[in-house]
């Protein structure tokens, strides 16, 4: 629906763009399935766990998936190769919030994106720097929402200062990496 329903509202040169192309639908659905369960929803499963065992199980599953994503992005520009797809956009919203919110607020703290996942960091910067994406991100609003609305896990409503990694930093493309 999102690929065509709003075409009349965008400039003609952007009409018909699809992030869910027919030839990749099966792969997108597959990757979306495990990423949603263990990453997009995984941060919430860990963050709102009311038992230590549930927290540990979901936190470990989250980081196993981040390792898997890191491996995929070690040889791909985007999750499914050289083309930006719905899978990238769905993951981006979670990865964008990971260091400034989920790492501390939801105790998903085995690693940070900025220091533990160079390929995910490169990918996040690349998506962020695409035309029109950066303008949709308001990290101050994101942080205030999480840290001030979940009083059961942050009763003081103190909001941390860090916005996470510098997303405007130049991108090092996989093929041009010096290591």
């Amino acid at each position: 629906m999102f690929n065509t329903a709003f075409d009349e509202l965008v400039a003609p040169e952007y009409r018909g763009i699809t992030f869910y192309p027919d030839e990749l639908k099966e792969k997108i659905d597959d990757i979306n399935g495990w990423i949603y369960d263990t990453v997009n929803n995984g941060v919430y499963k860990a963050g709102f766990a009311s038992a230590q065992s549930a927290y540990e199980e979901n936190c470990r599953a989250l980081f196993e998936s981040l390792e898997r994503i890191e491996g995929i992005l070690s040889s791909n520009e985007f999750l499914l190769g050289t083309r930006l797809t719905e899978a990238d956009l769905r993951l981006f919203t979670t990865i964008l919030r990971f260091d400034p919110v989920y790492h501390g607020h939801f105790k998903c703290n085995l690693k940070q994106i900025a220091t533990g996942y160079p390929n995910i960091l490169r990918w996040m910067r690349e998506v962020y720097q695409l035309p029109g994406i950066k303008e949709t991100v308001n990290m101050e609003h994101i942080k205030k929402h999480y840290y001030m609305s979940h009083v059961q896990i942050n009763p003081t409503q103190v909001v941390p200062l860090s916005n996470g990694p510098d997303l405007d930093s130049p991108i090092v493309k996989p093929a041009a990496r010096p290591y």
Side-chain angles (χ1 to χ4, degrees):
M1 176 182 131
F2 288 117
N3 286 315
T4 57
F6 301 101
D7 271 1
E8 66 188 46
L9 302 174
V10 299
E13 64 267 23
Y14 297 113
R15 292 179 187 160
I17 292 175
T18 181
F19 297 105
Y20 192 63
D22 289 336
E23 68 274 13
L24 292 175
K25 283 181 179 180
E26 189 175 317
K27 290 180 179 182
I28 292 170
D29 290 345
D30 177 60
I31 204 166
N32 279 346
W34 63 265
I35 285 178
Y36 173 77
D37 183 48
T38 60
V39 180
N40 301 122
N41 199 32
V43 294
Y44 292 95
K45 290 179 188 180
F48 289 108
S50 57
Q52 186 69 33
S53 60
Y55 160 74
E56 289 181 13
E57 177 184 336
N58 289 296
C59 191
R60 285 190 179 102
L62 164 65
F63 281 92
E64 287 170 10
S65 288
L66 289 175
E67 293 293 337
R68 185 174 174 187
I69 293 165
E70 179 70 7
I72 291 168
L73 294 173
S74 71
S75 58
N76 287 353
E77 183 175 10
F78 298 107
L79 290 171
L80 295 174
T82 58
R83 184 170 184 174
L84 181 75
T85 69
E86 174 191 300
D88 294 286
L89 298 174
R90 288 174 54 149
L91 178 62
F92 176 76
T93 60
T94 301
I95 299 300
L96 174 76
R97 291 163 171 76
F98 197 87
D99 286 4
V101 177
Y102 304 138
H103 182 267
H105 189 53
F106 284 175
K107 301 175 218 57
C108 299
N109 60 4
L110 296 179
K111 285 186 180 181
Q112 290 184 305
I113 301 300
T115 57
Y117 298 102
N119 296 304
I120 295 175
L121 178 60
R122 183 259 321 144
W123 166 88
M124 178 172 52
R125 285 177 170 148
E126 188 164 356
V127 174
Y128 179 80
Q129 292 175 27
L130 290 169
I133 301 292
K134 176 181 179 175
E135 296 79 15
T136 69
V137 176
N138 181 336
M139 195 55 71
E140 291 303 317
H141 178 268
I142 290 168
K143 289 188 322 184
K144 285 180 181 176
H145 162 73
Y146 280 93
Y147 284 95
M148 297 179 85
S149 66
H150 303 135
V151 293
Q152 70 276 33
I153 58 176
N154 187 28
T156 62
Q157 297 181 315
V158 172
V159 179
L161 296 173
S162 175
N163 287 334
D166 177 8
L167 299 180
D168 287 310
S169 187
I171 302 164
V172 178
K173 298 279 186 175
R177 261 190 224 125
Y179 51 90

